[in-house]
Amino acid sequence: MGNLARKLQQEQHHEQQKQMVRAPKKVKVRSPWLSPGEKILGIIFTGIVCFGAIHIVSNQAAIYGVNKDIQDTKMMIQEQQKVNGDLQMQVGELSTYERIWAKAKELGLKLNENNVKVVQD
């Protein structure tokens, strides 16, 4: 039993020495990857980039809306021009001499040659 006690004592002594050797380990202080000033500058730069991107997208949306309004207005103008052209054709058809003379007879009007004046453009 003596050897067994001695072995146990030596193992305990050996473990204490290992613990003493391990204890003086120095803790490495890690320096930060970015300093606080660099972090602040990075945040400011990111904010400016985000603001610029949002501003560009909103301007493009406004331009798209204005272009859509312009196209709608052009379509309305074209439609109105068609209507105006059709109405001018009707005016030309309805203002012929024969039609006016027929309407006048229908209403009971007579042509008095002494009362006619010729107007030229």
Side-chain angles (χ1 to χ4, degrees):
M1 284 287 232
N3 283 339
L4 187 60
R6 191 170 282 175
K7 279 185 180 180
L8 185 62
Q9 190 178 13
Q10 285 178 353
E11 284 177 13
Q12 287 176 354
H13 184 48
H14 188 60
E15 285 179 22
Q16 285 177 357
Q17 287 178 351
K18 283 183 181 179
Q19 287 177 355
M20 292 176 114
V21 170
R22 288 183 193 167
K25 281 189 177 179
K26 293 182 181 178
V27 177
K28 290 184 180 179
V29 177
R30 290 182 92 185
S31 60
W33 184 59
L34 295 173
S35 68
E38 289 173 335
K39 288 178 183 177
I40 291 172
L41 287 175
I43 291 170
I44 291 172
F45 179 73
T46 304
I48 290 171
V49 168
C50 289
F51 175 76
I54 291 170
H55 190 66
I56 288 171
V57 169
S58 66
N59 283 343
Q60 288 296 323
I63 290 170
Y64 175 77
V66 170
N67 283 338
K68 186 174 184 263
D69 291 342
I70 289 170
Q71 293 299 323
D72 291 343
T73 304
K74 283 183 180 179
M75 291 298 292
M76 287 177 18
I77 289 171
Q78 287 177 351
E79 289 174 10
Q80 190 62 43
Q81 285 176 341
K82 287 179 185 177
V83 169
N84 289 348
D86 292 342
L87 290 175
Q88 280 193 333
M89 285 179 61
Q90 284 182 357
V91 166
E93 290 171 0
L94 295 175
S95 64
T96 60
Y97 179 75
E98 291 82 22
R99 184 184 174 283
I100 293 173
W101 182 247
K103 268 294 193 190
K105 280 187 180 180
E106 189 179 303
L107 293 173
L109 299 175
K110 297 178 186 175
L111 180 62
N112 186 356
E113 295 288 336
N114 296 330
N115 219 8
V116 175
K117 295 181 182 177
V118 178
V119 180
Q120 294 181 354
D121 289 333

